[in-house]
Amino acid sequence: MLPDNVLCFCIVGTDTDVGKTVVTAALARAAVTSGLRALVIKPVQTGSIPDAQGNLQAPDLALCREAAPGADTHSLLQFAAACSPHLAARLEARYDGKALTAHNLANEINRTVREWGDAEVGRKLVLLEGAGGLLTPLGASETLGDLLALLDWPVLLVATNRLGAVNHALLSLEALHSRNLSCPGFIMTEAQEARSELEQTIRRDNPLITASLGKKPCLAELSHLPNLKAPDLPDREVAWDQAARELAPALKAVGAWQSASPKTSDETDVLRFDREHLWHPYTSALHPTRVWEAASSSGSRIRLKNGRELVDGMASWWCAIHGYRHPALMRALKAQAETMPHVMFGGLTHAPAVRLGRRLLDMVPAALEHVFFADSGSVAVEVALKMALQYWQAKGETRRTRILTIRGGYHGDTLGAMSVCDPENGMHSLFSGILPTQIFAPRPECRFDAPYDPASEQAFAEVLTTHADSMAAVILEPIVQGAGGMWFYHPGFLRRVHALCQQHGCLLILDEIATGFGRTGKLFACEHADIEPDILCLGKGLSGGVLTLAATLATRNVAEGVSQNGSAFMHGPTFMANPLACAVAEASLELIASGAWRADVARLEAGLRKGLSRCAHQPGVADVRVLGAIGVVEMEREINVERLQTFFVTRGVWIRPFGKLIYLMPPYVATDDDIATLCSAIHCALAQETWR
Ligand SMILES: *Cc1c(COP(=O)(O)O)cnc(C)c1O
């Protein structure tokens, strides 16, 4: 994200009035004197003074320019009122508070540093002077600490050496630690001459005891320099020289710390190119949300390039069911790569596809006999929809062209799949007039864990009865609606849907892309209702999360219908039945067939229930639900995803919330400790209201 060769540091006080502005200015002077290019940023300056033209001037930056005439300075937001930023912003009408968010400030700071770093040559230092202390409010729900967490720069702590300094410094160090912010050490300043021998003793002891208890070194001590107090006092140059000299060791320590830290210039290059050129899921190319660079993964852990290890709560969008780099999957991958990574499936076949097909048919409901391999879940859904439509066309029932589904569903992002996603939280409004219009019944409101309420099927039954003649198929996610809202509904509803489809001669497509292979506690979620579909979509966990692979399975009846009178099924992706993906998927299914997942999923379910139950009483929580290896905390309002995700990363967990939902779908190999860590991170975020 930042240019090479730029050292970036934040300077934060244990409190206001600890002399951090003098420290920043003197560090800038020390940097400039030693030949560095320096930029001092003041993200929020309160107590600004209007100049002759009426423009607000930042007094702290004026001090920097006096101390270090060669340094550049930059101030983002300025307020006249000398008070906390959140209050100053509220008092001044021209800021409605919107500009003052950690996210906006972090983006602005990163942009400033990038542009400045590009324009300058040589070694560069950026000093960011915080406003007040680490927990100084930026707004009603954010503190300076949130900004620092977004920036993820190391922090130098400044404390005034007096009675009470140790407590202040240790509290700040603890707050830095809990945000996983790195801190090379602290600096102690003197506000006035010591007036007694005891005071002198205290001042000698303070840095020592703070370093010992806080496990951080005291990098420098700055003497009391009375002539820096007012601009018209004499000998200020001499005083600045002394200050710069006294702080030089801190600057040196910072440089040494940077070169010893695992951050490399390579990382900054990667993040920068990514930000400028690579699109991420559901993001703007111009204003992308934050990403972290992943370097490696293993079991239930993802390791970031910056060295941080995260406990994985997502199984990479639910596909890495056996955890990362499972040895059996890696073996299969390597062996297949040695012989035939890919070959077209038109006119050719191969053992990996056949072995995988056999294994699949051994597992899925018995009526399914034909397998179409696709390259992603969305394509598997397109294939299922096309199969249903071709089925009725071939049978001569050409009026049957509509698809019925329930609200709250998610089936993928391609056009056909999108047309059966929830019309409100899906992307229908963006594509109205382009998407085929399908028919929607209400979401089944009867919870999985409540007694069945037949009222929940009425609307569905009415819609199906009304449109029966034109209905080609019903598509839905059995029991668990995933990306459409993480909703668990009652098996009784699914049983009725199945019965109604049979009654009206309508095909039933079950999308088990998210629920298949044990996630809900059954091998397939349709087993909860003891029913079998006409068409089944599988994906995500199919290849154990290693390669992109999906499958659409059909009954003999569907296959025969589609193929009657010499017709062919009209679909054939380039990478259909890719041998590498098939070989890995076969290894994954072999692990599933061993049955060990049953005990694992039951264990994860117990851990999630235990860990998430205490979240139910936190403010803003609407519902907590757990089924199989899925745990969901639903909030009353939309979540501030970037802020919450940053919090999670600093806590050492990988959890990606969306909408109003914080959820966990860990890999089956997650340990009980992993689950406890994930749940406690969520609990902590709720208790601190980091999600707002
Ligand atoms: C993820 C998902 C899809 C889409 O799969 P992709 O591989 O992302 O195209 C479809 N249906 C369900 C239920 C899913 O969870």
Side-chain angles (χ1 to χ4, degrees):
M1 205 181 296
L2 297 170
D4 295 352
N5 301 321
V6 184
L7 259 166
C8 296
F9 275 84
C10 300
I11 294 160
V12 171
T14 54
D15 207 339
T16 42
D17 271 341
V18 292
K20 85 184 142 39
T21 303
V22 170
V23 167
T24 307
L27 279 172
R29 185 180 182 98
V32 169
T33 313
S34 72
L36 288 173
R37 297 292 301 136
L39 168 68
V40 180
I41 299 179
K42 185 83 193 171
V44 186
Q45 172 83 66
T46 57
S48 291
I49 301 151
D51 63 11
Q53 285 76 43
N55 299 321
L56 288 177
Q57 295 300 324
D60 293 358
L61 292 181
L63 200 70
C64 279
R65 285 190 295 269
E66 184 201 320
D72 294 312
T73 58
H74 187 79
S75 158
L76 268 56
L77 289 179
Q78 293 179 35
F79 301 100
C83 57
S84 156
H86 80 290
L87 196 54
R90 206 192 303 155
L91 291 174
E92 282 181 46
R94 68 202 165 84
Y95 293 105
D96 57 6
K98 267 191 210 128
L100 193 55
T101 66
H103 176 88
N104 286 351
L105 288 173
N107 277 348
E108 202 44 33
I109 291 164
N110 280 322
R111 198 181 52 76
T112 304
V113 173
R114 257 199 316 275
E115 286 172 8
W116 177 80
D118 282 345
E120 296 292 333
V121 288
R123 294 191 310 135
K124 290 158 264 190
L125 175 73
V126 177
L127 295 168
L128 179 121
E129 190 194 335
L134 190 60
L135 298 187
T136 293
L138 287 182
S141 63
E142 290 183 313
T143 64
L144 182 69
D146 292 308
L147 171 61
L148 300 192
L150 280 175
L151 288 175
D152 207 12
W153 297 359
V155 177
L156 281 174
L157 186 67
V158 180
T160 295
N161 196 345
R162 61 184 167 214
L163 191 63
V166 180
N167 176 52
H168 272 108
L170 292 178
L171 283 172
S172 294
L173 288 174
E174 219 167 89
L176 286 171
H177 183 71
S178 80
R179 283 162 182 73
N180 226 358
L181 282 164
S182 48
C183 172
F186 61 93
I187 292 168
M188 282 210 163
T189 61
E190 290 193 329
Q192 51 190 247
E193 291 301 332
R195 272 170 300 197
S196 67
E197 204 156 307
L198 176 61
E199 206 173 327
Q200 276 177 10
T201 312
I202 291 172
R203 288 192 190 184
R204 272 196 302 277
D205 181 62
N206 272 345
L208 301 176
I209 188 71
T210 304
S212 154
L213 290 170
K215 301 189 178 64
K216 291 287 174 195
C218 178
L219 301 176
E221 291 179 60
L222 184 65
S223 324
H224 173 51
L225 299 165
N227 18 3
L228 290 184
K229 277 267 145 81
D232 36 356
L233 287 175
D235 295 333
R236 284 171 68 85
E237 280 298 311
V238 178
W240 280 124
D241 273 341
Q242 183 181 343
R245 222 174 19 252
E246 288 182 356
L247 290 181
L251 196 64
K252 214 168 148 197
V254 153
W257 187 91
Q258 164 93 0
S259 46
S261 82
K263 275 192 185 157
T264 63
S265 57
D266 192 34
E267 175 201 32
T268 60
D269 262 0
V270 166
L271 288 175
R272 179 179 199 179
F273 185 90
D274 179 277
R275 169 167 287 269
E276 288 172 2
H277 301 287
L278 303 189
W279 237 306
H280 281 261
Y282 313 106
T283 51
S284 150
L286 300 181
H287 305 286
T289 48
R290 181 174 187 183
V291 297
W292 288 262
E293 188 186 349
S296 63
S297 59
S298 171
S300 61
R301 302 303 159 98
I302 298 170
R303 190 182 283 278
L304 299 183
K305 187 66 190 279
N306 66 17
R308 214 166 264 177
E309 192 175 77
L310 306 178
V311 177
D312 178 29
M314 296 286 97
S316 281
W317 272 340
W318 332 339
C319 66
I321 52 179
H322 309 297
Y324 301 102
R325 290 199 296 123
H326 191 287
L329 273 53
M330 291 300 101
R331 262 198 309 277
L333 180 67
K334 284 178 190 151
Q336 187 58 40
E338 294 295 325
T339 55
M340 185 173 67
H342 184 64
V343 68
M344 65 190 283
F345 211 51
L348 292 171
T349 189
H350 44 77
V354 171
R355 286 201 303 258
L356 175 61
R358 276 222 171 90
R359 275 219 179 264
L360 266 177
L361 292 186
D362 280 350
M363 289 182 167
V364 297
L368 299 162
E369 290 184 35
H370 296 268
V371 186
F372 187 101
F373 287 117
D375 34 16
S376 76
S378 303
V379 173
V381 169
E382 298 288 340
V383 166
L385 296 175
K386 282 171 75 173
M387 268 182 194
L389 294 172
Q390 263 196 261
Y391 173 86
W392 292 114
Q393 295 297 313
K395 283 202 163 254
E397 291 202 38
T398 50
R399 288 186 56 212
R400 287 196 185 253
T401 56
R402 325 258 340 237
I403 309 288
L404 170 61
T405 185
I406 50 177
R407 285 177 184 266
Y410 176 81
H411 298 284
D413 291 345
T414 52
L415 285 167
M418 211 165 42
S419 77
V420 286
C421 290
D422 184 88
E424 266 146 53
N425 66 24
M427 289 158 274
H428 288 240
S429 57
L430 279 176
F431 301 101
S432 59
I434 300 161
L435 286 185
T437 31
Q438 313 292 12
I439 298 174
F440 294 87
R443 182 179 89 160
E445 288 307 322
C446 191
R447 298 175 69 97
F448 182 88
D449 53 6
Y452 185 57
D453 176 7
S456 62
E457 74 201 37
Q458 263 165 22
F460 182 89
E462 277 162 29
V463 178
L464 182 53
T465 312
T466 314
H467 299 277
D469 296 348
S470 61
M471 205 60 76
V474 169
I475 182 169
L476 38 75
E477 295 153 282
I479 308 300
V480 173
Q481 292 185 294
M486 292 286 162
W487 178 242
F488 312 155
Y489 64 83
H490 199 283
F493 175 81
L494 189 56
R495 252 191 304 274
R496 284 296 294 150
V497 167
H498 180 251
L500 286 162
C501 282
Q502 297 214 307
Q503 186 186 328
H504 293 285
C506 175
L507 296 176
L508 176 61
I509 304 170
L510 291 186
D511 179 349
E512 293 238 20
I513 291 169
T515 51
F517 308 110
R519 181 58 71 178
T520 68
K522 302 271 188 193
L523 187 53
F524 296 101
C526 61
E527 293 170 23
H528 287 286
D530 218 2
I531 56 139
E532 299 194 356
D534 300 291
I535 299 174
L536 176 69
C537 299
L538 298 174
K540 291 204 164 94
L542 173 60
S543 71
V546 176
L547 279 164
T548 172
L549 184 70
T552 308
L553 290 86
T555 59
R556 175 151 293 260
N557 172 48
V558 169
E560 281 176 356
V562 168
S563 315
Q564 73 188 20
N565 307 326
S567 329
F569 180 58
M570 294 313 286
H571 206 94
T574 305
F575 285 97
M576 184 165 178
N578 170 251
L580 274 179
C582 288
V584 176
E586 195 214 347
S588 173
L589 293 197
E590 194 172 333
L591 292 177
I592 291 289
S594 78
W597 63 269
R598 265 179 214 285
D600 278 333
V601 171
R603 179 176 58 78
L604 296 190
E605 177 163 8
L608 290 169
R609 274 189 206 290
K610 180 159 167 266
L612 293 181
S613 61
R614 47 190 201 122
C615 295
H617 312 294
Q618 292 297 327
V621 174
D623 187 40
V624 172
R625 47 188 181 264
V626 173
L627 177 64
I630 313 171
V632 180
V633 178
E634 181 168 344
M635 308 306 294
E636 286 160 358
R637 292 200 283 121
E638 293 278 318
I639 290 161
N640 181 340
V641 172
E642 190 163 358
R643 177 164 187 240
L644 183 52
Q645 182 138 51
T646 301
F647 171 83
F648 283 142
V649 168
T650 58
R651 290 273 310 203
V653 296
W654 183 246
I655 303 174
R656 186 158 174 87
F658 70 93
K660 297 176 184 173
L661 300 160
I662 308 171
Y663 72 93
L664 295 173
M665 283 222 201
Y668 302 165
V669 296
T671 63
D672 293 348
D673 279 352
D674 290 341
I675 299 299
T677 303
L678 290 164
C679 292
S680 95
I682 294 179
H683 182 261
C684 188
L686 297 176
Q688 296 180 13
E689 304 206 32
T690 316
W691 59 279
R692 286 194 196 270

